[in-house]
Amino acid sequence: MPESPVSVSCLTTKFDYADYKAAAAKAAMRKSEKITLKITGTVLILTAFLLRAFVYGNFYQNFIYAAMAAVGVIIGCFYDMIVLYAVRRHALNYFTANSEKFIAQTTEFSEETITFQTERYTAAIPYEMLYKAYEDARVFIIYTGINETKFIPKRAMNESECTRIHKILETKLQEKYQQEGAR
């Protein structure tokens, strides 16, 4: 006997939208990009220390070496935080300026389709037609196409519904399903 569908209804808040944009930014960043940034930061720091140790410099050169080391630390260690902060800030500002564009949505996860329903339209999409899905601690992002997304905030559901949605997406999408930290 098939399980009953999981239905999630919510009106997007500005913090939901910021969580979605931050999760989308994390999903878009490739592992190779992160590694490249960490290597670049490390090289900048090492170069600054080597120049400081082996090249006699005046005050201005020492200042440049310190700046190189600081940029290396920022790029290598804090890039993710800075980008996510900027993305969230931009999303909050965008939501505030365009709050009338955000309407209530009901999303239903059944055995064969995912259904999105608003006051303007209803769309039932088979899981096979989805481009991919991404989950982090706060949202599920459903990619209906390369640049077409829908998101469902986890605050709108209980723990058992989150678990059921996770299992449905993991089973139906397999390699097209991504979880934060599991790449």
Side-chain angles (χ1 to χ4, degrees):
M1 183 166 129
E3 286 192 57
S4 62
V6 179
S7 184
V8 181
S9 296
C10 69
L11 176 61
T12 302
T13 66
K14 69 180 182 177
F15 297 109
D16 291 337
Y17 185 67
D19 292 341
Y20 154 66
K21 293 305 265 185
K26 286 187 278 186
M29 184 171 269
R30 293 186 209 113
K31 191 173 185 178
S32 62
E33 292 172 341
K34 288 182 180 181
I35 291 170
T36 301
L37 288 170
K38 289 187 185 299
I39 290 170
T40 302
T42 303
V43 167
L44 277 172
I45 294 167
L46 289 175
T47 302
F49 283 125
L50 289 173
L51 287 170
R52 176 68 180 103
F54 296 113
V55 177
Y56 176 75
N58 58 26
F59 172 78
Y60 297 109
Q61 287 174 319
N62 289 335
F63 179 78
I64 291 170
Y65 302 153
M68 280 177 61
V71 169
V73 169
I74 290 169
I75 289 174
C77 301
F78 299 110
Y79 180 79
D80 288 348
M81 282 191 285
I82 293 167
V83 167
L84 292 179
Y85 171 78
V87 166
R88 288 185 65 81
R89 185 173 174 93
H90 181 340
L92 291 170
N93 290 337
Y94 179 84
F95 187 92
T96 301
N98 298 284
S99 59
E100 71 282 350
K101 292 182 181 179
F102 296 91
I103 57 176
Q105 172 179 286
T106 300
T107 307
E108 186 175 279
F109 295 84
S110 65
E111 288 292 321
E112 299 302 320
T113 62
I114 182 170
T115 304
F116 300 102
Q117 182 176 8
T118 69
E119 62 188 36
R120 297 180 190 151
Y121 71 91
T122 299
I125 304 170
Y127 291 105
E128 303 84 48
M129 292 184 67
L130 294 177
Y131 182 70
K132 70 177 183 175
Y134 178 82
E135 173 188 1
D136 78 351
R138 296 183 176 167
V139 297
F140 287 99
I141 302 176
I142 309 298
Y143 292 80
T144 55
I146 292 176
N147 288 321
E148 298 173 13
T149 60
K150 298 286 185 188
F151 70 97
I152 302 101
K154 288 186 174 181
R155 65 144 183 97
M157 59 192 95
N158 62 38
E159 190 65 37
S160 67
E161 290 172 328
C162 281
T163 303
R164 283 186 57 204
I165 291 169
H166 168 82
K167 287 182 181 180
I168 289 169
L169 292 174
E170 189 175 49
T171 303
K172 297 292 183 178
L173 298 179
Q174 298 171 1
E175 70 276 349
K176 294 192 301 184
Y177 176 67
Q178 223 177 3
Q179 249 188 307
E180 177 183 23
R183 295 194 180 212

